[in-house]
Amino acid sequence: MKEVISFFENIDPVLAALYATLFTWGLTAIGASLVFFFKKMNRKLFDGMLGFTGGVMVAASFWSLLAPGIEMSPGEGFEKTIPAIVGFGLGALFIYALDKVLPHLHVNFKMSEKEGVKTPWHKSVLLTLAITLHNIPEGLAIGVLFGGVAAGFEGASIGGAVALAIGIGIQNFPEGFAVAMPLRGQGLSRWKSFNYGQLSAIVEPVAAVIGAYAVMTFKPILPYALCFAAGAMIFVVVEEVVPESQQDKYTDISTLGFIGGFMVMMTLDVGLG
């Protein structure tokens, strides 16, 4: 792990953000590749993995984003929370706006429950876009942290950025699976199901590069940007991930998965950050 951190310390931060999110994209592709080996999806396992995803995202929102954002904010007392409040709220509103505009369909939901503007797009595209919504704040968060390190902000560290990338990569594995397997169940070929699954994470490198470049260019926005990513991630968890994991009878399994994901991300961030 020391070698990994040393590698990221010695390259351009924008390039570091790109490499880190190519890693998270790769784990999404590995998760989607399970469609070549399984004929159907085990619902208990699926709900547990969705819960795990939510736990990782909530833990990352606090340990990797909100807490450092508050720590590096100027002022004292209530004044110190202003960047967190503003950034967190704007992040949630950003995903809320995308949720209302971007056509998508949550996993485990019927076509009649699709969201966003009306469109004749196929269910496979809508399912992929739903997971893509998850990945925008994740890529942005990684990029913002790497940009913060380059800008020299106290509280932003390469270890923390690497920990976040690893945690998001781990939870991207079941996300790829969560797209590919339902599509296979609808009759798509294994190859098409895999392609849709891995494409859901293609937005992460793009968002990461934008986040890193923005923070390096406009240094004062870092506390706001960190909390913006946190607000976006929490919105996704509450509005999408948790409801998706609670659609069947395995609610306890998904809840335990959530707890496990939270513990894994917390351990990574504290241990490496």
Side-chain angles (χ1 to χ4, degrees), residues 25-89:
W25 181 15
L27 285 182
T28 305
I30 293 173
S33 71
L34 294 179
V35 76
F36 294 109
F37 306 100
F38 296 94
K39 292 183 178 180
K40 61 180 181 179
M41 179 174 60
N42 182 300
R43 185 55 189 266
K44 183 187 293 188
L45 176 63
F46 179 75
D47 285 349
M49 290 194 301
L50 276 179
F52 182 88
T53 293
V56 169
M57 293 176 74
V58 169
S61 296
F62 176 74
W63 295 100
S64 300
L65 302 171
L66 269 175
I70 293 172
E71 181 183 345
M72 62 183 65
S73 298
E76 298 292 337
F78 289 113
E79 183 183 356
K80 196 171 181 65
T81 67
I82 291 175
I85 293 170
V86 173
F88 193 83

Coordinates of all heavy atoms in Angstrom, one line a residue, residues 25-89:
W25 N -13.6 2.3 -12.2 CA -14.4 1.8 -13.4 C -14.0 0.3 -13.7 O -14.9 -0.4 -14.0 CB -14.0 2.7 -14.6 CG -14.7 2.4 -15.9 CD1 -15.8 1.6 -16.1 CD2 -14.3 2.9 -17.2 NE1 -16.1 1.6 -17.4 CE2 -15.2 2.4 -18.1 CE3 -13.3 3.7 -17.6 CZ2 -15.2 2.6 -19.5 CZ3 -13.3 4.0 -19.0 CH2 -14.2 3.5 -19.9
G26 N -12.8 0.0 -13.6 CA -12.4 -1.4 -13.8 C -13.1 -2.4 -12.9 O -13.5 -3.5 -13.3
L27 N -13.2 -2.0 -11.6 CA -13.9 -2.9 -10.7 C -15.4 -3.0 -11.0 O -16.0 -4.1 -10.8 CB -13.8 -2.4 -9.3 CG -12.4 -2.7 -8.7 CD1 -12.3 -2.2 -7.2 CD2 -12.0 -4.2 -8.7
T28 N -16.0 -1.9 -11.6 CA -17.4 -2.0 -12.1 C -17.4 -3.1 -13.2 O -18.4 -3.9 -13.3 CB -17.8 -0.7 -12.6 OG1 -17.7 0.3 -11.6 CG2 -19.3 -0.7 -13.0
A29 N -16.5 -3.0 -14.1 CA -16.4 -4.0 -15.2 C -16.3 -5.4 -14.8 O -16.9 -6.3 -15.3 CB -15.3 -3.6 -16.2
I30 N -15.4 -5.6 -13.7 CA -15.3 -6.9 -13.2 C -16.6 -7.4 -12.6 O -17.0 -8.6 -12.8 CB -14.1 -7.0 -12.1 CG1 -12.8 -6.7 -12.8 CG2 -14.1 -8.3 -11.4 CD1 -11.7 -6.5 -11.8
G31 N -17.3 -6.6 -11.9 CA -18.6 -6.9 -11.3 C -19.6 -7.3 -12.4 O -20.3 -8.3 -12.3
A32 N -19.6 -6.5 -13.5 CA -20.5 -6.8 -14.6 C -20.1 -8.1 -15.3 O -21.0 -8.8 -15.9 CB -20.4 -5.6 -15.6
S33 N -18.8 -8.4 -15.3 CA -18.4 -9.7 -16.0 C -18.9 -10.9 -15.4 O -18.9 -12.0 -16.0 CB -16.8 -9.7 -16.0 OG -16.3 -10.0 -14.7
L34 N -19.5 -10.8 -14.2 CA -20.1 -12.0 -13.5 C -21.2 -12.6 -14.3 O -21.7 -13.7 -14.2 CB -20.5 -11.7 -12.1 CG -19.4 -11.4 -11.1 CD1 -20.0 -11.0 -9.7 CD2 -18.5 -12.5 -11.0
V35 N -21.8 -11.7 -15.2 CA -22.9 -12.1 -16.1 C -22.5 -13.3 -17.0 O -23.3 -14.0 -17.5 CB -23.4 -10.9 -16.9 CG1 -22.5 -10.6 -18.0 CG2 -24.8 -11.2 -17.4
F36 N -21.2 -13.4 -17.2 CA -20.7 -14.5 -18.1 C -20.7 -15.9 -17.3 O -20.5 -16.9 -17.9 CB -19.3 -14.2 -18.6 CG -19.2 -13.1 -19.6 CD1 -18.7 -11.9 -19.2 CD2 -19.8 -13.2 -20.8 CE1 -18.6 -10.8 -20.1 CE2 -19.7 -12.1 -21.7 CZ -19.2 -10.9 -21.4
F37 N -20.8 -15.8 -16.0 CA -20.6 -17.0 -15.2 C -21.9 -17.5 -14.5 O -21.9 -18.6 -14.0 CB -19.5 -16.8 -14.2 CG -18.2 -16.4 -14.8 CD1 -17.8 -15.0 -14.8 CD2 -17.4 -17.3 -15.4 CE1 -16.6 -14.6 -15.3 CE2 -16.2 -16.9 -16.0 CZ -15.8 -15.5 -16.0
F38 N -22.8 -16.6 -14.4 CA -24.1 -16.9 -13.6 C -25.3 -16.8 -14.6 O -25.3 -15.8 -15.4 CB -24.2 -16.0 -12.4 CG -23.2 -16.2 -11.4 CD1 -22.0 -15.4 -11.4 CD2 -23.3 -17.2 -10.4 CE1 -21.0 -15.5 -10.4 CE2 -22.3 -17.3 -9.5 CZ -21.2 -16.5 -9.5
K39 N -26.2 -17.7 -14.4 CA -27.4 -17.6 -15.2 C -28.5 -16.7 -14.6 O -29.3 -16.2 -15.4 CB -28.0 -19.0 -15.4 CG -27.1 -20.0 -16.2 CD -27.7 -21.3 -16.4 CE -26.8 -22.2 -17.3 NZ -27.4 -23.6 -17.5
K40 N -28.6 -16.6 -13.3 CA -29.6 -15.8 -12.7 C -29.0 -15.2 -11.4 O -28.0 -15.6 -10.9 CB -30.8 -16.6 -12.4 CG -30.6 -17.7 -11.4 CD -32.0 -18.4 -11.2 CE -31.8 -19.6 -10.2 NZ -33.1 -20.3 -9.9
M41 N -29.7 -14.2 -10.9 CA -29.2 -13.4 -9.8 C -29.9 -13.9 -8.5 O -31.1 -14.2 -8.4 CB -29.6 -11.9 -10.0 CG -29.2 -11.0 -8.9 SD -29.5 -9.3 -9.4 CE -31.3 -9.4 -9.6
N42 N -29.0 -14.2 -7.5 CA -29.5 -14.5 -6.2 C -30.0 -13.3 -5.5 O -29.2 -12.4 -5.2 CB -28.4 -15.2 -5.4 CG -28.8 -15.6 -4.0 OD1 -29.3 -14.8 -3.2 ND2 -28.7 -16.9 -3.8
R43 N -31.3 -13.2 -5.2 CA -31.8 -11.9 -4.7 C -31.3 -11.6 -3.3 O -31.1 -10.4 -3.0 CB -33.4 -12.0 -4.7 CG -34.1 -10.7 -4.3 CD -33.6 -9.6 -5.2 NE -34.1 -8.3 -4.7 CZ -35.3 -7.7 -5.0 NH1 -36.0 -8.3 -5.9 NH2 -35.6 -6.6 -4.6
K44 N -31.1 -12.6 -2.5 CA -30.5 -12.3 -1.1 C -29.2 -11.7 -1.2 O -28.9 -10.7 -0.6 CB -30.5 -13.6 -0.3 CG -30.0 -13.4 1.1 CD -29.8 -14.7 1.8 CE -31.1 -15.4 2.0 NZ -30.9 -16.7 2.9
L45 N -28.3 -12.2 -2.1 CA -27.0 -11.7 -2.3 C -27.0 -10.3 -2.9 O -26.3 -9.4 -2.5 CB -26.2 -12.6 -3.2 CG -24.8 -12.2 -3.6 CD1 -23.9 -12.0 -2.4 CD2 -24.2 -13.1 -4.6
F46 N -27.9 -10.1 -3.9 CA -28.1 -8.9 -4.5 C -28.5 -7.8 -3.6 O -27.9 -6.7 -3.5 CB -29.2 -9.0 -5.6 CG -29.4 -7.7 -6.4 CD1 -28.5 -7.3 -7.3 CD2 -30.6 -7.0 -6.2 CE1 -28.8 -6.1 -8.0 CE2 -30.8 -5.8 -6.9 CZ -29.9 -5.4 -7.8
D47 N -29.5 -8.0 -2.7 CA -29.9 -7.0 -1.7 C -28.8 -6.7 -0.7 O -28.6 -5.6 -0.3 CB -31.2 -7.5 -1.0 CG -32.4 -7.4 -1.9 OD1 -32.3 -6.7 -3.0 OD2 -33.4 -7.9 -1.5
G48 N -28.0 -7.7 -0.3 CA -26.9 -7.5 0.6 C -25.9 -6.6 0.0 O -25.3 -5.7 0.6
M49 N -25.6 -6.8 -1.3 CA -24.6 -6.0 -2.0 C -25.1 -4.6 -2.2 O -24.3 -3.6 -2.1 CB -24.2 -6.6 -3.4 CG -23.4 -7.9 -3.3 SD -22.7 -8.4 -4.8 CE -24.1 -8.6 -5.9
L50 N -26.4 -4.4 -2.5 CA -26.9 -3.0 -2.5 C -26.8 -2.3 -1.2 O -26.4 -1.1 -1.1 CB -28.4 -3.1 -3.0 CG -28.7 -3.1 -4.4 CD1 -30.2 -3.2 -4.6 CD2 -28.1 -2.0 -5.2
G51 N -27.1 -3.0 -0.1 CA -26.9 -2.4 1.2 C -25.5 -2.1 1.5 O -25.2 -1.0 2.0
F52 N -24.5 -3.0 1.1 CA -23.1 -2.7 1.2 C -22.7 -1.4 0.5 O -22.0 -0.6 1.0 CB -22.3 -3.9 0.7 CG -20.8 -3.8 0.8 CD1 -20.2 -4.2 2.0 CD2 -20.1 -3.2 -0.2 CE1 -18.8 -4.1 2.1 CE2 -18.7 -3.0 0.0 CZ -18.1 -3.5 1.1
T53 N -23.2 -1.2 -0.7 CA -23.0 0.0 -1.5 C -23.4 1.2 -0.7 O -22.7 2.2 -0.7 CB -23.7 -0.1 -2.8 OG1 -23.1 -1.2 -3.6 CG2 -23.6 1.2 -3.6
G54 N -24.6 1.2 -0.2 CA -25.1 2.3 0.6 C -24.2 2.6 1.8 O -24.0 3.8 2.1
G55 N -23.8 1.6 2.5 CA -22.9 1.8 3.7 C -21.6 2.5 3.3 O -21.2 3.4 4.1
V56 N -21.0 2.0 2.2 CA -19.7 2.6 1.8 C -20.0 4.1 1.5 O -19.2 4.9 1.9 CB -19.2 1.9 0.6 CG1 -18.0 2.7 0.0 CG2 -18.7 0.5 1.0
M57 N -21.0 4.4 0.8 CA -21.3 5.8 0.3 C -21.5 6.7 1.5 O -21.1 7.8 1.6 CB -22.4 5.8 -0.6 CG -22.1 5.1 -2.0 SD -23.6 5.1 -3.1 CE -23.6 6.8 -3.6
V58 N -22.3 6.2 2.5 CA -22.6 7.1 3.7 C -21.3 7.3 4.5 O -21.0 8.4 4.9 CB -23.7 6.4 4.6 CG1 -23.8 7.1 5.9 CG2 -25.0 6.4 3.9
A59 N -20.5 6.2 4.7 CA -19.3 6.4 5.5 C -18.3 7.3 4.7 O -17.6 8.2 5.4 CB -18.6 5.0 5.7
A60 N -18.2 7.1 3.4 CA -17.3 8.0 2.6 C -17.8 9.5 2.7 O -17.0 10.4 2.8 CB -17.3 7.5 1.2
S61 N -19.1 9.7 2.7 CA -19.6 11.0 2.8 C -19.2 11.8 4.0 O -18.9 12.9 4.0 CB -21.2 11.0 2.7 OG -21.6 10.5 1.5
F62 N -19.1 11.0 5.1 CA -18.7 11.7 6.4 C -17.2 11.7 6.6 O -16.6 12.7 6.7 CB -19.3 11.0 7.6 CG -18.8 11.6 8.9 CD1 -19.3 12.8 9.3 CD2 -17.9 10.9 9.7 CE1 -18.8 13.4 10.5 CE2 -17.4 11.5 10.9 CZ -17.9 12.8 11.2
W63 N -16.6 10.5 6.6 CA -15.2 10.4 6.9 C -14.3 11.0 5.9 O -13.2 11.6 6.2 CB -14.8 8.9 7.1 CG -15.5 8.2 8.3 CD1 -16.6 7.4 8.2 CD2 -15.2 8.4 9.7 NE1 -16.9 7.0 9.5 CE2 -16.1 7.6 10.4 CE3 -14.2 9.0 10.3 CZ2 -16.0 7.5 11.8 CZ3 -14.1 8.9 11.7 CH2 -15.0 8.2 12.4
S64 N -14.6 10.9 4.6 CA -13.7 11.3 3.5 C -14.1 12.7 3.0 O -13.2 13.4 2.4 CB -13.7 10.4 2.4 OG -13.3 9.1 2.7
L65 N -15.3 13.2 3.3 CA -15.7 14.4 2.6 C -16.2 15.5 3.6 O -15.6 16.6 3.7 CB -16.9 14.1 1.6 CG -16.5 13.1 0.5 CD1 -17.7 12.7 -0.3 CD2 -15.4 13.7 -0.4
L66 N -17.3 15.2 4.4 CA -17.8 16.2 5.3 C -16.8 16.6 6.4 O -16.6 17.8 6.6 CB -19.1 15.7 5.9 CG -20.4 16.0 5.2 CD1 -21.6 15.3 5.9 CD2 -20.7 17.5 5.1
A67 N -16.3 15.6 7.1 CA -15.4 15.9 8.2 C -14.1 16.7 7.7 O -13.8 17.8 8.3 CB -14.9 14.6 8.9
P68 N -13.4 16.3 6.7 CA -12.3 17.1 6.2 C -12.8 18.5 5.7 O -12.1 19.5 5.9 CB -11.8 16.3 5.0 CG -12.2 14.9 5.3 CD -13.5 15.0 5.9
G69 N -14.0 18.6 5.1 CA -14.5 19.9 4.6 C -14.7 20.8 5.7 O -14.4 22.0 5.6
I70 N -15.3 20.4 6.8 CA -15.5 21.2 8.0 C -14.2 21.6 8.6 O -13.9 22.8 9.0 CB -16.4 20.5 9.0 CG1 -17.8 20.3 8.4 CG2 -16.5 21.3 10.3 CD1 -18.7 19.5 9.3
E71 N -13.3 20.7 8.7 CA -11.9 20.9 9.3 C -11.2 22.0 8.6 O -10.5 22.8 9.3 CB -11.1 19.6 9.3 CG -9.8 19.7 10.0 CD -8.9 18.4 9.9 OE1 -9.5 17.4 9.6 OE2 -7.7 18.5 10.1
M72 N -11.2 22.0 7.3 CA -10.4 23.0 6.6 C -11.2 24.3 6.3 O -10.7 25.2 5.6 CB -9.9 22.4 5.2 CG -11.0 22.0 4.3 SD -10.4 21.2 2.8 CE -9.6 19.7 3.4
S73 N -12.4 24.4 6.8 CA -13.2 25.7 6.6 C -12.7 26.7 7.6 O -12.3 26.5 8.7 CB -14.7 25.4 6.9 OG -15.2 24.5 6.0
P74 N -12.7 28.0 7.2 CA -12.3 29.1 8.0 C -13.3 29.4 9.1 O -14.5 29.0 9.0 CB -12.1 30.3 7.0 CG -13.1 30.0 5.9 CD -13.1 28.5 5.8
G75 N -12.9 30.2 10.1 CA -13.9 30.7 11.1 C -14.0 29.7 12.3 O -13.3 28.7 12.3
E76 N -14.9 30.1 13.2 CA -15.1 29.3 14.4 C -16.6 29.1 14.6 O -17.4 29.9 14.1 CB -14.4 30.0 15.6 CG -12.9 30.1 15.5 CD -12.2 28.8 15.6 OE1 -12.8 27.8 16.1 OE2 -11.0 28.7 15.1
G77 N -17.0 28.1 15.4 CA -18.4 27.9 15.8 C -19.3 27.7 14.6 O -18.9 27.0 13.7
F78 N -20.4 28.3 14.6 CA -21.4 28.2 13.5 C -20.8 28.6 12.2 O -21.2 28.0 11.1 CB -22.7 28.9 13.8 CG -23.5 28.3 14.9 CD1 -23.7 29.0 16.1 CD2 -24.1 27.1 14.8 CE1 -24.4 28.4 17.2 CE2 -24.8 26.5 15.8 CZ -25.0 27.2 17.0
E79 N -20.0 29.6 12.2 CA -19.4 30.1 11.0 C -18.6 29.1 10.2 O -18.6 29.0 9.0 CB -18.5 31.3 11.3 CG -17.9 32.0 10.1 CD -16.9 33.1 10.4 OE1 -16.8 33.4 11.6 OE2 -16.3 33.6 9.5
K80 N -18.0 28.1 11.0 CA -17.2 27.1 10.4 C -18.0 26.1 9.6 O -17.5 25.3 8.8 CB -16.4 26.4 11.5 CG -15.2 25.6 11.0 CD -14.3 25.1 12.2 CE -13.1 24.3 11.7 NZ -12.2 25.1 10.9
T81 N -19.3 26.0 9.9 CA -20.1 25.0 9.2 C -20.8 25.6 8.0 O -21.4 24.8 7.2 CB -21.3 24.6 10.2 OG1 -22.2 25.7 10.4 CG2 -20.8 24.1 11.5
I82 N -20.6 26.8 7.7 CA -21.2 27.4 6.5 C -20.9 26.7 5.2 O -21.7 26.4 4.4 CB -20.9 28.9 6.4 CG1 -21.7 29.7 7.6 CG2 -21.4 29.5 5.1 CD1 -21.4 31.2 7.6
P83 N -19.6 26.5 4.9 CA -19.2 25.8 3.7 C -19.9 24.4 3.6 O -20.3 24.0 2.5 CB -17.7 25.7 3.7 CG -17.3 26.8 4.6 CD -18.3 27.0 5.6
A84 N -19.9 23.7 4.8 CA -20.5 22.4 4.8 C -22.0 22.4 4.5 O -22.5 21.6 3.7 CB -20.3 21.7 6.1
I85 N -22.7 23.4 5.1 CA -24.1 23.5 4.9 C -24.4 23.9 3.4 O -25.3 23.3 2.8 CB -24.7 24.6 5.8 CG1 -24.6 24.1 7.3 CG2 -26.2 24.9 5.4 CD1 -25.0 25.2 8.3
V86 N -23.7 24.9 2.9 CA -24.0 25.3 1.5 C -23.6 24.2 0.5 O -24.4 23.9 -0.4 CB -23.1 26.6 1.2 CG1 -23.2 27.0 -0.3 CG2 -23.6 27.7 2.1
G87 N -22.4 23.7 0.7 CA -22.0 22.6 -0.3 C -22.8 21.4 -0.2 O -23.2 20.8 -1.2
F88 N -23.2 20.9 1.0 CA -24.0 19.7 1.2 C -25.4 19.9 0.5 O -25.9 19.0 -0.2 CB -24.1 19.4 2.7 CG -24.7 18.1 3.0 CD1 -23.9 17.0 3.0 CD2 -26.1 17.9 3.3 CE1 -24.4 15.7 3.3 CE2 -26.6 16.7 3.6 CZ -25.8 15.6 3.6
G89 N -26.0 21.1 0.8 CA -27.3 21.3 0.2 C -27.3 21.4 -1.3 O -28.2 20.9 -2.0

